[in-house]
Amino acid sequence: MAFFIFVGTAVILLGFLLSFIITQKRDSYSKALGLAALGNYLDARAMVRERLEEDHQNPYGHFVMAKIYSMENDPLNEAKHLEIIKKNNRYTKEIDVVTVSNRIADIYYNKDYFEESFFHYLDTLQSDRSNPVACMRLGFMALGQKEFKIADHFFSRLPEEKMNSSLYFIAKGVISGVTGAGKERGYFEKAYDLEKSPVSGFLYALSLSRENKHKEAVKIGTAIADQIEDEYVRYTIFQFLMTEAILQQNFPDALKYARLCMEMARLNGWTSETIESSIHFSMVSVYMGRYDEIAEFLIEAESERMDDPEVIALANLKYKLERGVGNLDSLSSEYDLPKELSLLSVSFFPNSRYFELSGMRSSKPFNLKGLVDESGKKLAGKLDMVGKDKFEKFIAMTGTQFKNQVTRMILSMGYRVTKELANPEGDGVNLLCSSKEDVNQRALFRVRKWKDAKVSDVFIRDMIQQMEEAGASKGCIIGNFEVTEGGKKMIASSGNSMEIITGDKFEELLDRTM
């Protein structure tokens, strides 16, 4: 009996001793946090390191160290200690995998380390499939890379009826609009109801127009026009209001907005937009029979776009109408002005414009497809297994390495490089090439290390001129870019002589040659 009493007493004393030691350790961590709160980060970290020497994998110790670095505003070192907790896979009730993964991901997200952030948010979803923070961030990062299907996979995990974020509904609307699902108007309406911002309003107005609700679209568009501070966005909203007025046969308003666009473009020195808006102003004026106002604008457009068949046809139509040689109906076989005016809306605002206007494009590309498949399933077990995205490798190349890669790309397209031409821009190369099958067939390749650029009619016109000087019958632009409306018209007017390789086609070309 005495033996059992002795053993029981010993166990109780041992329990008190362990409790005392743990309490002492916790007290030392509390003291360390107290010192850090007073700004004494050096001594605070020294105190925690002393405890960690006894147990290098102690999750609470690393958690406290991370808190100290957070107080010191050193997020990368904070992330370093949180990553140690993840690596050791030791957690407590208050230090769980979701809390740790989300905090690391937040740090990297705020630092624009999107690949690292994406990886850690994916870890969160392995433990909490519908974690709202992770799903939202993953969705927006995927959307920023124009991976609409992957983005929708993450957004769809969130209960739509419980969401009250305008950005969420904008994202859902963009995905629906670009992919052709047809539900964008409802999403943009919810976004605008939650926050009457210029972005949500513009997207909502555009979606209303797509459903032929033009009066409502104009009402929203007019309401947000004065809220927009960015001059180019205001120019774009005036373009929209011009096209809406045309669709409603309200040509006085169409002329008013066409003039506003023209004046804004001139005032801001936008060369391409100045010519484009002058043409649109001339189109509306000709339709209304107001020929005297547009002579100088048409002459300017003709001088800038001597080979543009639309400008030539419009000028010829004006000339004949002024002299009473036919009317819009009888001359429609030469230039169908009413049809061309009605097509401006679709030309300016195709479904892809939803994404551009949303402002959700990421300025930094990263290797998203190395992290997940199209269904959002995680591919790599470790971040260092992901590797660098081929596009990032390409734009990081310099000198001979870059030119060798470009040569491989051109060879895979059936051409050989014969001469390097001048490129004052310095962001890529201009190469004169000859066909493998016919050496007399020449092509000009402009390969650029752009991240996200616009190719305008000015660039195309300059390229066509360089092609003529070099005796090339074909031109090809390779890079990451979008073509402006003016650029598209210039390409269309050049017949089949111009080829554009961007987006998926550019990605496939890199896959074949790198």
Side-chain angles (χ1 to χ4, degrees):
M1 186 67 179
F3 172 76
F4 289 112
I5 293 172
F6 174 76
V7 170
T9 303
V11 169
I12 292 169
L13 288 172
L14 182 60
F16 277 122
L17 180 61
L18 289 172
S19 176
F20 175 77
I21 293 169
I22 291 168
T23 302
Q24 285 292 99
K25 287 184 177 181
R26 285 295 176 110
D27 284 346
S28 64
Y29 287 138
S30 299
K31 288 177 183 177
L33 289 171
L35 286 171
L38 294 171
N40 191 350
Y41 307 115
L42 194 64
D43 287 346
R45 287 198 298 272
M47 188 174 290
V48 177
R49 284 196 191 98
E50 187 178 334
R51 298 274 71 83
L52 283 173
E53 284 178 5
E54 300 170 14
D55 181 1
H56 296 292
Q57 297 185 0
N58 185 289
Y60 192 76
H62 287 290
F63 191 71
V64 171
M65 188 69 90
K67 278 189 174 182
I68 293 169
Y69 276 117
S70 177
M71 292 179 187
E72 198 175 357
N73 196 25
D74 185 353
L76 291 180
N77 268 318
E78 178 189 355
K80 177 183 173 182
H81 281 275
L82 293 174
E83 284 184 300
I84 291 172
I85 296 173
K86 281 190 71 173
K87 183 181 177 182
N88 294 332
N89 198 30
R90 283 180 61 181
Y91 299 98
T92 67
K93 284 185 178 180
E94 57 183 339
I95 309 168
D96 60 275
V97 64
V98 170
T99 301
V100 173
S101 287
N102 267 4
R103 179 54 189 157
I104 299 170
D106 286 348
I107 290 168
Y108 287 136
Y109 183 87
N110 292 328
K111 288 288 183 181
D112 289 346
Y113 298 162
F114 296 131
E115 204 163 73
E116 293 84 350
S117 177
F118 203 93
F119 183 86
H120 287 289
Y121 279 130
L122 286 174
D123 278 350
T124 294
L125 295 190
Q126 288 183 327
S127 298
D128 181 2
R129 187 182 182 279
S130 300
N131 184 270
V133 174
C135 286
M136 286 283 274
R137 284 279 172 84
L138 288 167
F140 283 120
M141 281 192 278
L143 184 57
Q145 301 297 310
K146 298 180 76 172
E147 294 292 344
F148 303 109
K149 186 175 180 181
I150 296 174
D152 195 41
H153 171 80
F154 293 118
F155 285 130
S156 65
R157 295 189 182 192
L158 299 168
E160 199 171 289
E161 67 280 359
K162 295 182 180 179
M163 301 303 295
N164 61 353
S165 164
S166 177
L167 286 175
Y168 166 81
F169 288 111
I170 288 174
K172 290 287 286 186
V174 167
I175 293 167
S176 177
V178 173
T179 59
K183 298 179 180 179
E184 59 269 23
R185 199 266 304 158
Y187 287 125
F188 292 140
E189 184 177 8
K190 288 178 182 177
Y192 190 59
D193 286 342
L194 286 167
E195 182 186 1
K196 288 182 169 46
S197 68
V199 172
S200 62
F202 199 167
L203 293 169
Y204 180 34
L206 185 55
S207 64
L208 282 167
S209 175
R210 286 289 173 271
E211 295 185 0
N212 294 319
K213 297 177 180 179
H214 301 296
K215 288 184 179 179
E216 296 94 323
V218 169
K219 183 179 178 182
I220 299 294
T222 305
I224 65 169
D226 294 334
Q227 301 176 30
I228 298 170
E229 296 180 1
D230 185 283
E231 282 289 281
Y232 197 84
V233 179
R234 288 190 75 214
Y235 169 83
T236 308
I237 195 75
F238 288 147
Q239 274 191 326
F240 173 73
L241 291 170
M242 176 191 73
T243 61
E244 287 300 292
I246 290 169
L247 292 172
Q248 295 179 86
Q249 299 291 297
N250 182 356
F251 286 96
D253 272 5
L255 191 68
K256 177 183 74 173
Y257 288 117
R259 189 187 296 276
L260 275 170
C261 288
M262 189 169 61
E263 290 172 353
M264 286 184 71
R266 290 180 184 280
L267 188 64
N268 287 283
W270 302 329
T271 306
S272 178
E273 285 78 5
T274 297
I275 301 304
E276 197 75 26
S277 57
S278 295
I279 293 170
H280 303 143
F281 179 75
S282 300
M283 290 170 73
V284 178
S285 296
V286 169
Y287 185 90
M288 296 177 71
R290 302 175 65 163
Y291 310 118
D292 296 337
E293 299 182 33
I294 61 171
E296 62 176 293
F297 303 125
L298 263 182
I299 291 170
E300 182 183 9
E302 283 185 284
S303 66
E304 287 291 330
R305 296 187 178 178
M306 292 182 288
D307 300 321
D308 190 332
E310 182 179 8
V311 178
I312 296 168
L314 179 61
N316 289 337
L317 178 66
K318 171 187 174 287
Y319 178 83
K320 290 181 178 180
L321 289 172
E322 269 186 305
R323 283 153 183 77
V325 183
N327 55 40
L328 289 176
D329 288 334
S330 64
L331 296 170
S332 62
S333 59
E334 297 178 28
Y335 186 71
D336 194 339
L337 182 57
K339 179 183 175 183
E340 293 299 323
L341 284 168
S342 67
L343 289 174
L344 284 179
S345 177
V346 177
S347 176
F348 286 162
F349 302 101
N351 283 356
S352 59
R353 203 80 194 271
Y354 284 128
F355 176 69
E356 183 183 330
L357 294 171
S358 72
M360 290 187 176
R361 181 194 301 276
S362 173
S363 60
K364 182 182 176 183
F366 66 96
N367 190 10
L368 175 62
K369 289 186 175 178
L371 292 161
V372 288
D373 60 18
E374 285 201 346
S375 64
K377 185 179 178 182
K378 190 174 182 181
L379 296 175
K382 294 182 179 179
L383 189 58
D384 55 15
M385 292 167 60
V386 175
K388 204 171 185 181
D389 181 52
K390 286 184 179 180
F391 170 68
E392 289 184 89
K393 286 181 181 178
F394 176 75
I395 62 174
M397 289 178 177
T398 56
T400 305
Q401 185 189 26
F402 173 70
K403 289 180 181 178
N404 287 343
Q405 170 57 27
V406 171
T407 301
R408 284 193 294 271
M409 290 158 62
I410 290 171
L411 284 169
S412 74
M413 296 173 67
Y415 288 86
R416 292 187 180 90
V417 177
T418 57
K419 184 180 179 182
E420 183 175 349
L421 303 178
N423 175 29
E425 297 169 356
D427 54 358
V429 289
N430 296 343
L431 298 171
L432 184 63
C433 305
S434 61
S435 170
K436 290 179 183 178
E437 296 178 357
D438 182 2
V439 292
N440 294 317
Q441 185 182 336
R442 294 182 174 183
L444 172 64
F445 284 80
R446 285 191 171 188
V447 186
R448 295 293 184 264
K449 295 192 286 184
W450 289 325
K451 283 190 176 180
D452 184 16
K454 296 279 186 183
V455 170
S456 69
D457 56 306
V458 177
F459 184 91
I460 302 296
R461 190 177 301 107
D462 178 71
M463 184 169 179
I464 291 172
Q465 184 178 344
Q466 193 175 33
M467 286 165 60
E468 291 172 353
E469 292 171 355
S473 59
K474 179 175 177 168
C476 183
I477 308 169
I478 302 175
N480 185 6
F481 58 88
E482 287 188 4
V483 184
T484 65
E485 292 305 314
K488 288 176 183 176
K489 288 181 179 178
M490 186 64 67
I491 291 168
S493 67
S494 67
N496 297 319
S497 63
M498 297 293 296
E499 184 177 0
I500 303 299
I501 296 181
T502 187
D504 291 341
K505 289 174 71 176
F506 182 38
E507 193 174 303
E508 288 169 9
L509 184 59
L510 290 176
D511 285 339
R512 290 203 313 266
T513 58
M514 283 183 71

